[in-house]
Amino acid sequence: MKVPVKVDGRELTLSNLNKVLYPEVGFTKAEVIDYYSRIAPVLLPHLEGRPLTVKRYPNGVDGAYFFEKNAPSHTPAWVRRVRLPVPGSGKNRDTIDFAVVEDLPSLVYYANLAALELHVPQWRVSDDGQAEPPDLLVFDLDPGPPATIVECCQVAQLLRGLLEDDGLTAVPKTSGNKGMQLYAPWDGRQEPSAYAKELAQRLAKAHPRHVVSVMTKSARPGKVFIDWSQNNPAKTTVAPYSLRARQRPTVSTPLLWEEVESCGSPGDLVFTASDVLARVEKHGDLFSQA
């Protein structure tokens, strides 16, 4: 069944609204669209100017999925697009036409495509569509079992201290999966991947039983891997307030540092769509410093 709607003056056709995308809890596409519509005021500022990569689940989180960078041919003309070079593309393309989601109709359009996950780089494009230097630094903290987000929180506090020593303000969020990320506004003092790698290596050397800075999987059990490579301009990280394709509709959720410091169990930092809407009502945008 298709439903024509008007969103901020734009005409869209929504489809399959009753389709269950999160079977374990019966969360439907209509609820996905509702969540993204309601979270839009705090989400859109973090998507603005950033080329979008989506992870689409047309048959729900238990079905097949695919990453999509190139805006589909049926994308409405009013969705902003930028053509950017992609050297070394695995699909033998020299350029990709990325969508840049900056308004509610564009966000609803992608939610209707079952684009559950929204991923963006640490840089923006200018008004004329040119890539600008990175404005964010990110550390992706990934726990190797039996380590959990509890250990990630301990490492995040260590990283926060190092960043503060360098005059940078760290902002934490959950990944919405099993780990978390730490961001800081980036001033371009050096190449961000090199800086992030240096900090990760320093922590791994100082805390070898708990921290690892190399991707080798055999080195990661029981430790927190600090993935500094997410600062590569070709890479993306899940956006704050994005849903994740887990059994429940968990969200990549900005955190208070008090929550990071007091985390004693992985369940302490699991937030679903309804939780996050309530958090924003209470705290506003905790990610606004990034």
Side-chain angles (χ1 to χ4, degrees):
M1 180 178 177
K2 296 185 177 180
V3 180
V5 297
K6 189 169 280 190
V7 180
D8 287 355
R10 302 293 190 187
E11 294 183 355
L12 292 87
T13 300
L14 306 182
S15 61
N16 301 317
L17 292 176
N18 292 326
K19 178 179 278 190
V20 175
L21 298 183
Y22 291 83
E24 187 171 292
V25 292
F27 201 79
T28 65
K29 188 200 276 192
E31 291 174 292
V32 168
I33 293 171
D34 177 68
Y35 167 74
Y36 274 126
S37 298
R38 294 169 63 191
I39 204 68
V42 294
L43 167 59
L44 287 172
H46 304 298
L47 300 181
E48 184 179 353
R50 300 191 190 276
L52 183 69
T53 297
V54 296
K55 202 171 177 182
R56 290 176 57 184
Y57 290 79
N59 295 304
V61 298
D62 291 338
Y65 66 89
F66 57 96
F67 282 95
E68 189 169 71
K69 294 178 178 288
N70 211 49
S73 59
H74 52 75
T75 303
W78 40 261
V79 175
R80 184 185 178 194
R81 275 162 285 187
V82 294
R83 181 165 293 175
L84 295 169
V86 284
S89 168
K91 296 188 177 180
N92 296 316
R93 294 183 293 206
D94 295 325
T95 61
I96 285 180
D97 292 329
F98 289 90
V100 183
V101 170
E102 299 179 319
D103 55 33
L104 181 58
S106 301
L107 186 60
V108 171
Y109 169 76
Y110 268 99
N112 185 60
L113 294 180
L116 300 182
E117 296 192 4
L118 312 175
H119 297 250
V120 289
Q122 316 315 318
W123 48 272
R124 300 179 190 262
V125 292
S126 61
D127 290 343
D128 61 356
Q130 300 300 308
E132 296 186 326
D135 62 336
L136 287 176
L137 181 76
V138 63
F139 297 88
D140 191 13
L141 307 183
D142 184 20
T148 68
I149 197 170
V150 175
E151 286 74 23
C152 289
C153 286
Q154 296 164 1
V155 174
Q157 293 175 72
L158 296 173
L159 264 176
R160 181 193 192 189
L162 293 181
L163 291 165
E164 284 182 345
D165 290 344
D166 286 344
L168 298 171
T169 301
V171 182
K173 71 176 177 71
T174 71
S175 68
N177 194 342
K178 59 182 179 176
M180 65 183 294
Q181 287 109 21
L182 210 59
Y183 287 74
W186 185 241
D187 54 14
R189 63 183 68 182
Q190 68 181 90
E191 200 281 315
S193 282
Y195 174 83
K197 181 179 182 180
E198 178 189 335
L199 259 59
Q201 289 177 332
R202 281 170 59 188
L203 277 185
K205 185 175 181 180
H207 304 274
R209 294 179 54 195
H210 306 292
V211 179
V212 62
S213 64
V214 294
M215 294 186 182
T216 310
K217 288 197 178 293
S218 61
R220 291 162 60 177
K223 301 181 182 181
V224 174
F225 169 47
I226 303 178
D227 187 354
W228 48 267
S229 73
Q230 293 297 110
N231 295 284
N232 182 320
K235 290 197 173 187
T236 61
T237 307
V238 67
Y241 304 109
S242 172
L243 289 166
R244 297 310 302 266
R246 307 293 290 168
Q247 293 306 300
R248 293 189 291 156
T250 56
V251 173
S252 181
T253 308
L255 299 169
L256 295 162
W257 272 110
E258 290 88 340
E259 294 173 309
V260 176
E261 293 161 0
S262 64
C263 179
S265 167
D268 292 347
L269 297 181
V270 176
F271 303 100
T272 62
S274 59
D275 297 328
V276 171
L277 288 167
R279 285 171 64 84
V280 170
E281 187 73 25
K282 180 178 180 180
H283 299 296
D285 181 13
L286 292 176
F287 212 71
S288 59
Q289 293 181 49

